[in-house]
Amino acid sequence: MSVMVPGERVTIYDVAEAARVSTATASKALNDSGRMAVETRARIKRVAQELGFRPNSLAQSLTRKRSFTVGLLTNDSYGRFTLPVMAGISEGLIDHGVSVFLCAVGDKPELAQVHVEAMLDKRVDGIIATGKRVDRPLPVDLSRMPVPVVYALTAGPEEGLTILPDDRQGAGEAVRHLLAQGRRRIAHITGPRDFEVVHERALACAQVLAETAGASDAGALYGSWSEHWGHEAVAELWSQAQRPDGIFCGNDQIARGVVDALRERGVSVPGDVSVVGFDNWEIVAKETRPPLTTVDMNLKELGRQAGLALVRLVTGEPVDKGIWRLPCSLIVRSS
Amino acid sequence: MSVMVPGERVTIYDVAEAARVSTATASKALNDSGRMAVETRARIKRVAQELGFRPNSLAQSLTRKRSFTVGLLTNDSYGRFTLPVMAGISEGLIDHGVSVFLCAVGDKPELAQVHVEAMLDKRVDGIIATGKRVDRPLPVDLSRMPVPVVYALTAGPEEGLTILPDDRQGAGEAVRHLLAQGRRRIAHITGPRDFEVVHERALACAQVLAETAGASDAGALYGSWSEHWGHEAVAELWSQAQRPDGIFCGNDQIARGVVDALRERGVSVPGDVSVVGFDNWEIVAKETRPPLTTVDMNLKELGRQAGLALVRLVTGEPVDKGIWRLPCSLIVRSS
DNA sequence: CTCGATTGAGAAAACGGTTTCTCATACCAA
DNA sequence: TTGGTATGAGAAACCGTTTTCTCAATCGAG
């Protein structure tokens, strides 16, 4: 059992001395490189182990020209979407010995610039950009970086690698689920028109309805991402003669508002009307009465993929550029 | 205007050569150390500027024995509390040129261990531990680290430095606010008994009520942190003869459930009953009808303080150990 | 004019590793 | 024996900075 003495970490010189070899030999032994007698290699490794030797990453990085470090830029201060992505990135990279610099830049270009320079100075091997909006870039231009960049859940340049959830596929599954429940007249209540995902989801929704015999499209209502809007939209729909029996919502908050509004009107969910949300924001979806059926964007997996793609870029392995769309999963609950 | 050539960053040798001095002189000029003619210093700085020289942090760290890097350990996969803390840490540290390694460890001790070793190998100057629960430690022992550790929003050892919100003060303000609104009979609906914050807040609540003439304590109800429990608790309170006219809730979700339940019963908020929440989780608090008056724990500021405390520890400046309690703020809305 | 003090700048070592050579030794066949 | 070839290990250079020490040149005082 080795005792850790604060501030006195054991170096490769200590190992070399204890094993009575040169640092060159010690280094080669520990890295399984070079040529030497198997016993020598084993002895050096044993000594290193006994001494609790851990190589100084800084020194290694200096010669290896690789820091095993990447920068993570985010403008999301709230974390609802970003944190799962971050966790996935961190998890996917730690196996490769890669650590992640967290850079919360908000919307401030100067702050973003400072962070980018700080990470470049620290010689990150690559950068992951992530954000709260898929169709908005970060407040800094990353197209001329000296290291590879991957964009996850945020807008990147044409020629880069961008990883996004497959909103169309997710929305399609949601609508098909409603149809499979026997619903025929489907309405779509969603967020503001200027969000790209709003169009993607609406498009997929309309398309599935158009393709399905017997299904009728009650149209899409655009509003805000809030419960309040869910209430309003229900009021609007229920003021009309022909009412939907299935509602696909642009996110879980809207769905939450919709379900509450329906309950207040005495409409049974899922007895009379089925509702599907989007995001699988558990704290909302599980609290809704009844618990919400919704679409999960698998953000953690998306983060993991982003991390792995970046190390492939760093190590020069071939990677398909362009936009990757990762599948969403339908989470079936009671609504 | 300097052109960035990928992979060919300019070193201090380039600067020294261009300025016709030695690297020693160049280094001293750029760090405002050593002795030399003012014009020499200015010339070197100008040349460095023109060449777009940025020192290699790895090399600097190696000699300076400081990496200007800290590790951030978190077990919160959800980010509701942690992300503001992280943002605060990152913001507070970037001014000092310090970058933050993000380590999401979940509840897995092995993963935590791997991360700790990775950051120690990368020679972090210090570690910040943060978590989702104030009274639960992370799944790894940080008491024998070779670098300083600060605990933010998670349990740390006696002899360490732990930074927490002042739950008592926050709860006190909440209750005093209810009293100031003319409420006299106050109930406390809160989370599970095994959370320390639950006791802190309940204690402060009871204490303020006991100290205030004319105020009456309707008692505390313990349940889960959910809206559902808010509904249940209201049902319980309203089944009794004597009902409260002010309710202080342990978090915003409970408060949300309480407000909804009251509305469903035809009780006006804030007409008949005033409600105050805790957390200022805007996405819940602002969506509640009416918007929720609540307590903000100032988590971003807490994170900033944690970061600054850590750099003081790193640089050897005096820092009070023990538990710091940072004040909460009452956010007055309509409830 | 001389001598000590000050000034400005560079040589070299250090930080903790990796890697490319070089080289002595042992080995084998001729 | 000789000569060529593996083999095992070390010397030294290098990565990009910082820092300590040394030293020549200049300066001011006596």
Side-chain angles (χ1 to χ4, degrees):
Chain A
M1 193 62 195
S2 69
V3 179
M4 174 166 300
V5 183
E8 288 289 343
R9 299 202 52 156
V10 10
T11 72
I12 202 168
Y13 293 96
D14 303 324
V15 174
E17 189 178 353
R20 324 194 124 267
V21 292
S22 70
T23 61
T25 306
S27 175
K28 284 181 291 191
L30 297 171
N31 291 299
D32 284 322
S33 65
R35 280 182 330 202
M36 74 193 61
V38 280
E39 321 65 270
T40 309
R41 198 182 289 278
R43 174 165 50 91
I44 294 172
K45 282 186 174 179
R46 183 166 42 71
V47 169
Q49 172 89 40
E50 284 169 5
L51 261 46
F53 169 71
R54 308 234 57 190
N56 183 330
S57 271
L58 298 170
Q60 284 186 317
S61 303
L62 205 51
T63 56
R64 294 223 235 246
K65 306 286 188 188
R66 230 192 113 186
S67 66
F68 288 86
T69 277
V70 302
L72 175 57
L73 231 44
T74 175
N75 67 351
D76 186 2
S77 54
Y78 216 59
R80 171 143 150 254
F81 299 126
T82 304
L83 213 96
V85 177
M86 287 183 184
I89 291 170
S90 173
E91 229 177 58
L93 289 177
I94 190 69
D95 303 332
H96 295 257
V98 175
S99 301
V100 177
F101 280 126
L102 172 69
C103 307
V105 303
D107 299 315
K108 305 167 210 143
E110 330 77 50
L111 182 57
Q113 193 58 39
V114 169
H115 266 117
V116 167
E117 276 165 17
M119 53 199 236
L120 253 26
D121 289 348
K122 294 205 164 101
R123 294 305 191 267
V124 292
D125 298 327
I127 298 174
I128 300 180
T130 182
K132 57 190 165 195
R133 261 190 84 165
V134 167
D135 50 358
R136 289 279 188 278
L138 290 176
V140 61
D141 177 24
L142 299 174
S143 61
R144 299 260 166 245
M145 292 292 111
V147 294
V149 181
V150 171
Y151 299 82
L153 214 64
T154 192
E158 282 281 331
E159 65 281 7
L161 169 54
T162 307
I163 307 185
L164 303 174
D166 192 341
D167 283 284
R168 295 200 195 189
Q169 170 264 337
E173 299 224 357
V175 175
R176 271 189 287 273
H177 173 75
L178 288 171
L179 294 171
Q181 301 297 105
R183 304 305 171 180
R184 282 299 167 259
R185 187 168 170 77
I186 313 295
H188 183 37
I189 305 177
T190 187
R193 278 203 149 87
D194 66 314
F195 276 72
E196 194 178 303
V197 293
V198 163
H199 293 289
E200 296 281 344
R201 294 170 194 173
L203 202 73
C205 177
Q207 194 169 343
V208 169
L209 292 175
E211 285 169 355
T212 308
S216 110
D217 189 343
L221 294 169
Y222 301 89
S224 70
W225 291 120
S226 65
E227 291 181 38
H228 184 70
W229 163 235
H231 281 86
E232 273 187 15
V234 166
E236 194 169 327
L237 284 172
W238 257 252
S239 71
Q240 300 166 3
Q242 238 190 341
R243 294 162 183 170
D245 58 358
I247 303 179
F248 168 45
C249 300
N251 79 353
D252 286 348
Q253 282 170 273
I254 294 175
R256 166 70 195 267
V258 165
V259 170
D260 283 355
L262 290 174
R263 181 170 3 87
E264 286 171 15
R265 283 173 182 272
V267 179
S268 162
V269 175
D272 304 322
V273 176
S274 292
V275 177
V276 177
F278 209 105
D279 289 351
N280 190 28
W281 190 16
E282 300 204 342
I283 216 146
V284 172
K286 283 188 174 166
E287 284 287 345
T288 304
R289 294 170 301 161
L292 205 57
T293 294
T294 184
V295 176
D296 190 310
M297 292 187 283
N298 295 319
L299 294 177
K300 195 165 185 181
E301 176 60 19
L302 191 149
R304 171 187 299 276
Q305 296 278 347
L308 297 182
L310 187 56
V311 313
R312 288 216 295 283
L313 285 171
V314 169
T315 55
E317 292 167 60
V319 176
D320 291 341
K321 293 296 184 91
I323 297 179
W324 296 8
R325 293 276 180 183
L326 268 40
C328 301
S329 312
L330 186 73
I331 307 296
V332 179
R333 296 202 181 88
S334 322
S335 71
Chain B
M1 193 62 195
S2 71
V3 178
M4 176 165 298
V5 183
E8 290 290 342
R9 300 202 48 157
V10 9
T11 72
I12 202 168
Y13 294 99
D14 302 324
V15 175
E17 190 180 350
R20 325 194 126 264
V21 292
S22 68
T23 61
T25 306
S27 174
K28 284 180 291 190
L30 297 171
N31 290 299
D32 283 323
S33 65
R35 282 183 327 202
M36 75 192 62
V38 280
E39 33 310 352
T40 308
R41 200 183 288 279
R43 174 165 49 92
I44 295 173
K45 283 185 174 178
R46 183 166 42 71
V47 168
Q49 171 89 38
E50 284 169 6
L51 260 45
F53 169 71
R54 308 235 56 188
N56 183 329
S57 271
L58 298 170
Q60 285 186 316
S61 304
L62 204 52
T63 56
R64 294 222 236 244
K65 306 283 189 191
R66 233 194 109 185
S67 65
F68 288 86
T69 276
V70 303
L72 175 58
L73 232 45
T74 175
N75 67 351
D76 187 2
S77 53
Y78 219 59
R80 180 151 140 245
F81 299 126
T82 304
L83 213 97
V85 177
M86 287 183 185
I89 292 170
S90 173
E91 229 178 58
L93 289 177
I94 190 69
D95 302 333
H96 295 256
V98 175
S99 300
V100 176
F101 280 127
L102 173 68
C103 307
V105 302
D107 299 317
K108 305 168 209 141
E110 332 77 52
L111 183 58
Q113 193 58 39
V114 169
H115 265 117
V116 167
E117 276 165 18
M119 51 199 238
L120 253 25
D121 288 349
K122 295 205 163 98
R123 293 306 191 268
V124 291
D125 298 328
I127 298 175
I128 300 180
T130 181
K132 58 190 164 195
R133 261 190 83 165
V134 166
D135 50 358
R136 290 277 188 279
L138 290 176
V140 62
D141 178 25
L142 299 174
S143 60
R144 300 258 166 248
M145 291 293 111
V147 294
V149 181
V150 170
Y151 299 82
L153 213 66
T154 192
E158 282 281 331
E159 65 282 6
L161 169 55
T162 307
I163 307 185
L164 303 175
D166 192 341
D167 284 283
R168 295 199 196 189
Q169 170 263 337
E173 298 225 356
V175 175
R176 270 188 287 274
H177 173 74
L178 287 172
L179 294 171
Q181 300 297 105
R183 304 307 172 178
R184 282 300 166 257
R185 186 165 171 77
I186 312 295
H188 182 38
I189 304 177
T190 186
R193 279 202 147 85
D194 67 315
F195 277 72
E196 194 178 303
V197 292
V198 163
H199 294 289
E200 297 281 343
R201 294 171 194 172
L203 202 73
C205 177
Q207 194 170 342
V208 168
L209 292 175
E211 285 169 356
T212 308
S216 112
D217 189 342
L221 293 170
Y222 301 89
S224 69
W225 291 120
S226 65
E227 290 182 37
H228 185 69
W229 162 236
H231 280 87
E232 273 187 16
V234 166
E236 195 170 327
L237 285 173
W238 257 252
S239 70
Q240 299 166 4
Q242 238 190 342
R243 294 163 184 170
D245 59 357
I247 303 180
F248 168 45
C249 300
N251 78 352
D252 286 347
Q253 282 170 272
I254 294 174
R256 166 70 195 265
V258 165
V259 170
D260 283 355
L262 290 175
R263 180 168 5 86
E264 287 171 17
R265 284 175 181 271
V267 178
S268 162
V269 176
D272 305 322
V273 176
S274 291
V275 177
V276 177
F278 208 104
D279 289 352
N280 191 27
W281 190 14
E282 300 205 341
I283 216 146
V284 172
K286 283 189 174 167
E287 284 288 345
T288 303
R289 295 170 301 161
L292 206 57
T293 294
T294 184
V295 176
D296 190 309
M297 293 187 284
N298 295 320
L299 294 177
K300 196 165 185 181
E301 176 60 20
L302 191 149
R304 170 188 299 274
Q305 296 279 347
L308 297 182
L310 187 57
V311 314
R312 287 216 295 282
L313 284 172
V314 169
T315 54
E317 292 167 59
V319 177
D320 293 340
K321 293 296 185 92
I323 297 180
W324 296 8
R325 294 274 181 186
L326 267 41
C328 301
S329 312
L330 186 73
I331 307 295
V332 179
R333 295 201 181 89
S334 322
S335 71

